[in-house]
Amino acid sequence: MTDHTAPAPSDVEHLAAVLRRRREELAGAAGVRIGRGEVVHRLDTHMWAGVEIPAVGCHAAVDPLRLVASAGPVTCRRCLGSGRQAQEQVPGQTALL
Ligand SMILES: [Zn+2]
């Protein structure tokens, strides 16, 4: 009987390959939107399980597959104020998507 609680190594490799390809696809983008959102975020790179994955500078999205390349400019004030602490509220912006 197969153990379905843990992903098979081939599944993990497949996911890692998908995430690497996604990062390459977004590499030249000036910014990224989250799904159909209107806010343009700064493209960042995070490490996930040893794989470099695309992310937004303000951590508003956790799913790299939802990120869509945008010609920019970056309009997310949380991303633009990247020197701030991540949890800090930015006056004038309530929408992250
Ligand atoms: Zn942002």
Side-chain angles (χ1 to χ4, degrees):
M1 191 164 169
T2 312
D3 178 9
H4 289 286
T5 58
S10 60
D11 291 341
V12 174
E13 267 310 304
H14 174 73
L15 179 57
V18 168
L19 293 172
R20 279 193 208 100
R21 187 163 61 238
R22 193 81 189 108
R23 180 166 172 266
E24 289 167 11
E25 287 168 357
L26 294 172
V32 288
R33 299 174 194 268
I34 302 170
R36 294 168 173 262
E38 298 194 348
V39 177
V40 179
H41 296 266
R42 180 174 56 81
L43 182 62
D44 200 0
T45 299
H46 289 178
M47 290 298 289
W48 176 84
V51 180
E52 290 188 332
I53 62 169
V56 293
C58 66
H59 306 271
V62 293
D63 182 357
L65 300 182
R66 289 189 62 204
L67 302 183
V68 179
S70 171
V74 174
T75 57
C76 173
R77 292 169 68 168
R78 283 168 50 125
C79 284
L80 291 172
S82 58
R84 304 168 190 267
Q85 287 189 332
Q87 303 301 322
E88 186 179 338
Q89 289 290 318
V90 177
Q93 178 178 333
T94 54
L96 291 174
L97 302 180

